[in-house]
Amino acid sequence: MSILSLIFLFMIFLSLQWKTSTSQTWIKAGYWYAGSENPMPNINSALFTHLICAFAYIDPSTHELVLKASDEPYISSFSSSVRKGNPSVKPLLSIWTQNGKFGNVGNSSNFLVMTQTPTYRKTFIESSIKMARAYGFEGLDLYVATLLNTKGNMTSLGNLFNEWRVAADQEKLILTVGVRYSPDLDSMSYPVDSVSKNFDWVHIRSYDYHTPMTDNFTGAHSALYDPSSHMNTDYGVNEWIKSGLPASKLVLGLAYHGYAWTLVDPKDNSIGGAPAKGPAITPDGSISYDYIRNHMRSYKINSLYNSTYVINYCTIYSFWIGFDDVEAIKNKVVYAKKMGLRGYSVWQLPNDHNWELSKAAAQEDNYRGHHKRIFVIALCTTAFFILLIGCIISNMRKRIISKVKQVMVMMMTLMNSGKSSYHNQQVISFADIREATNSFSEENKLGEGGYGPVYKVLSSSVYKY
């Protein structure tokens, strides 16, 4: 095998390895809620692969998608705005499925009714694709994280997902879905097989496990682990995988908000379980990461990090606040990599005005991805040089064997000539031949004939008369 052939094979091998290591895009997604206090933030889109605009709503009477009048100007310009900072970013439009046109908190009974009628499903699908195309979105996201809280018939969901996938493929649109942290709740379950088959990936809502509106005690609302409860991200991820959804389709939710409780005992600063008497600071206790950091700086206090739950918390007077800081975000990205997940998605972007958390997540991803690529290249290069050295040694060995054979042929020819009937021919020893040719020196080589190389004789001692 020639050196050029080896180089060609090496390039093919390296390209295959590179393709394998980068065949699936690591998702770095972020939700932007059009109804947020900052309606059009200057999104640092270079930190993301996909940006999701929320929300479009389903009209309960027509089953078509509609937009809130105040949101429409921002949603209509969302795609062009985020592409200015990153032309390769893919904008998606998220669809709210709870009752009400404008995202009212409630159940999803109207959505389930829509899924049971073929004509309603068709109307919904056609209007969703029409809206996506009209506003320059490259995909659609269905937010059904609260669907399992609804009592209703979910058997038609699979039909909707199947029909939507066919229509989306024709338009070359991405389809994603936002779900609860685990696939089951009481007797209700997501149709996991249909979810796995029809969606490009699944956003897990891995936060809001405990809130001041639902619990009279403090709790880690976005705990990665919780030794005392199943309400944690690791449990939910493993339940989704056990139910049949590949880890490579799961995208981990990251929370850019926290919750504040009013403590019964202001001195109780434990990570969870401290008696509380409702929310603090805001009506429902929810606080953006930016507000938490500014509040902590104002009071000159630092947060505590708990490695068991993977969460930060602090106490300000009688308020207990739980949230994710840079360290928690990095550890959750590491967890997603370790579990073989598809990536992460953020709720929501305006809560990280200085992009402190987003940079932490993206840098962790770049660091690990960079080292993975270096490892693949180093492995391929080492394999190539081992193969190259092996071929060189093999070629040298063949040449040496060939020369030895040529010498042996010459010796046998000379020895056989001693047996000739011509009386004036004689047998010449190998030692005499070696002496006469100066150990078969290249300088004494005259050329090559049919029986091998021909040498000039230096000594007359080989001639014996």
Side-chain angles (χ1 to χ4, degrees), residues 151-181:
K151 302 301 180 183
N153 186 351
M154 299 180 67
T155 57
S156 298
L157 270 179
N159 293 330
L160 171 66
F161 295 164
N162 291 337
E163 294 165 7
W164 206 17
R165 178 77 266 176
V166 171
D169 283 344
Q170 292 175 350
E171 294 292 325
K172 298 181 179 180
L173 290 173
I174 298 167
L175 277 189
T176 66
V177 61
V179 298
R180 187 175 179 268
Y181 80 100

Side-chain angles (χ1 to χ4, degrees), residues 364-419:
E364 181 65 28
D365 164 56
N366 292 340
Y367 173 82
R368 297 177 72 85
H370 173 69
H371 282 268
K372 182 178 180 181
R373 288 191 288 271
I374 289 177
F375 174 77
V376 171
I377 293 172
L379 182 64
C380 296
T381 304
T382 301
F384 166 71
F385 278 108
I386 290 174
L387 180 63
L388 180 62
I389 291 171
C391 290
I392 291 173
I393 292 174
S394 177
N395 287 335
M396 290 178 63
R397 183 173 176 271
K398 288 180 180 179
R399 289 188 179 186
I400 292 171
I401 292 174
S402 176
K403 285 209 170 190
V404 170
K405 284 184 178 179
Q406 290 176 0
V407 172
M408 292 301 296
V409 168
M410 185 190 71
M411 289 173 56
M412 294 300 297
T413 301
L414 292 173
M415 292 175 66
N416 289 334
S417 65
K419 300 178 181 180

Side-chain angles (χ1 to χ4, degrees), residues 2-22:
S2 68
I3 301 299
L4 288 177
S5 298
L6 283 173
I7 294 174
F8 177 72
L9 289 174
F10 169 68
M11 295 302 294
I12 293 176
F13 178 66
L14 184 60
S15 65
L16 289 174
Q17 291 295 322
W18 181 261
K19 183 178 179 180
T20 300
S21 65
T22 59

Side-chain angles (χ1 to χ4, degrees), residues 25-29 45-51 86 88-91:
T25 301
W26 173 249
I27 303 300
K28 295 180 287 187
S45 54
L47 298 173
F48 301 93
T49 60
H50 299 78
L51 289 169
N86 180 10
S88 65
V89 73
K90 297 184 182 301

Side-chain angles (χ1 to χ4, degrees), residues 1 38 45 76 82 104 139 148 183 191 199-200 207 250 263 302 317 375 403 408:
M1 183 181 295
N38 301 313
S45 54
S76 63
V82 298
N104 298 332
L148 297 188
F199 291 98
D200 292 282
Y207 42 83
L250 288 172
L263 292 169
N302 295 318
Y317 293 121
F375 174 77
K403 285 209 170 190
M408 292 301 296

Side-chain angles (χ1 to χ4, degrees), residues 28 49 54 57 60 63 86 88 99 120 207 213 215 245 248 250 273 315 323 331 347 353 383 405 409 438:
K28 295 180 287 187
T49 60
Y57 306 103
H63 310 291
N86 180 10
S88 65
N99 291 347
Y120 293 169
Y207 42 83
M213 298 294 288
D215 302 303
L245 185 67
S248 59
L250 288 172
T315 302
F323 63 102
N331 279 316
W347 180 269
H353 180 68
K405 284 184 178 179
V409 168
N438 192 19

